[in-house]
Amino acid sequence: MLSKSEENYLKAIFHLSVKTEKGISTNAIAQQLDTKASSVTDMVKKLSEKGLVLYVKYHGVTLTDKGEKIAANVIRKHRLWEVLLVQKFNFNWDEVHEVAEQLEHIHSKKLINEMDAFLGFPKHDPHGDPIPDKDGNINFLEKSLLSTIGVNMKAVCIGVKDTSSDFLRYLDKQEIALGKEITVLEKEAFDNSMLIRIGANEFTISQQIATNIYVKNKE
């Protein structure tokens, strides 16, 4: 059984590896976990000795098959807990992350599998992120950033890049949520802000907002 810290390291490396095919630098891991590079080096050595990561100098850190499966399982638990908190305990989507960070380290496979079944085997968490299955497989959605959508095009919100509480509360105020159809009405050349329509409401969002919303084109 791994420690909470070891699981967090594997999870961080997993998230970083999704964005690149190269090994992950110790500095990138340190930044992800808000810790010192020297602490990362020590942990990487420990994880390597347990057969969970491979480290090649100047090429970075990669997860072994065993390490990847463990990381995916931690992510699965985190995202299932988020679904449970939102659907059954009336948490808002901006409130669940910190609670799920604590609950993801529960090691009962029976509990997690029963929770998955109880929830109807959800495919995505409240932020639109895919939930790994019990074997660690993840089906990533094809997605684009709202900022890349052209004028007069329609798209559906399927996730968020920024999961901070402030950003999610902003989206709630604007009634931007998963499954909502968004029409891009205008784009400003000056600052790349966008006039959008959701339902009967039209309003302007900044480029910063648009680059933190994932969408898929409306078919």
Side-chain angles (χ1 to χ4, degrees):
M1 188 176 295
L2 299 180
S3 69
K4 177 179 176 180
S5 180
E6 289 170 329
E7 290 186 342
N8 284 338
Y9 268 85
L10 293 176
K11 184 176 67 168
I13 296 167
F14 185 98
H15 285 311
L16 290 168
S17 67
V18 170
K19 304 172 185 177
T20 179
E21 294 182 356
K22 300 178 180 179
I24 309 303
S25 71
T26 53
N27 286 335
I29 299 170
Q31 185 175 8
Q32 180 84 354
L33 292 171
D34 192 23
T35 190
K36 297 178 181 178
S38 58
S39 298
V40 174
T41 300
D42 291 341
M43 179 59 79
V44 165
K45 182 179 179 181
K46 183 185 296 186
L47 294 173
S48 178
E49 290 171 350
K50 293 186 176 185
L52 301 175
V53 302
L54 296 173
Y55 175 67
V56 179
K57 197 171 184 180
Y58 306 121
H59 292 278
V61 181
T62 56
L63 294 172
T64 63
D65 289 343
K66 181 180 177 182
E68 184 173 328
K69 188 170 184 177
I70 293 173
N73 185 55
V74 175
I75 292 166
R76 175 177 181 243
K77 290 186 287 183
H78 181 106
R79 293 176 179 173
L80 284 172
W81 281 116
E82 289 192 337
V83 174
L84 183 74
L85 292 168
V86 168
Q87 289 189 3
K88 305 300 180 180
F89 297 136
N90 299 317
F91 279 67
N92 294 323
W93 67 342
D94 62 286
E95 299 175 314
V96 295
H97 181 72
E98 289 186 6
V99 180
E101 284 282 301
Q102 302 169 50
L103 294 169
E104 70 185 23
H105 299 290
I106 294 174
H107 290 103
S108 171
K109 290 183 179 179
K110 180 177 175 61
L111 172 62
I112 302 306
N113 289 336
E114 290 294 335
M115 177 167 61
D116 193 12
F118 174 69
L119 293 169
F121 304 103
K123 301 299 182 184
H124 304 93
D125 72 8
H127 309 110
D129 293 317
I131 298 174
D133 65 20
K134 63 181 180 180
D135 297 317
N137 301 309
I138 304 180
N139 292 320
F140 290 101
L141 289 174
E142 290 291 332
K143 58 189 179 182
S144 305
L145 292 172
L146 179 56
S147 57
T148 67
I149 302 301
V151 175
N152 296 323
M153 292 182 65
K154 295 181 179 180
V156 177
C157 177
I158 61 170
V160 292
K161 185 177 180 182
D162 182 349
T163 58
S164 68
S165 295
D166 288 343
F167 182 63
L168 296 176
R169 282 195 290 267
Y170 169 84
L171 296 184
D172 282 338
K173 286 181 181 178
Q174 301 298 335
E175 297 184 357
I176 301 174
L178 301 185
K180 286 291 186 76
E181 181 178 293
I182 303 171
T183 303
V184 178
L185 301 175
E186 297 177 8
K187 279 188 175 182
E188 291 293 337
F190 173 68
D191 61 359
N192 292 315
S193 60
M194 307 172 76
L195 177 65
I196 64 173
R197 180 170 61 232
I198 298 179
N201 298 322
E202 297 182 5
F203 53 94
T204 299
I205 60 172
S206 68
Q207 182 185 31
Q208 182 180 3
I209 299 299
T211 55
N212 278 290
I213 299 173
Y214 287 121
V215 297
K216 66 176 181 180
N217 290 338
K218 179 75 173 180
E219 296 180 355

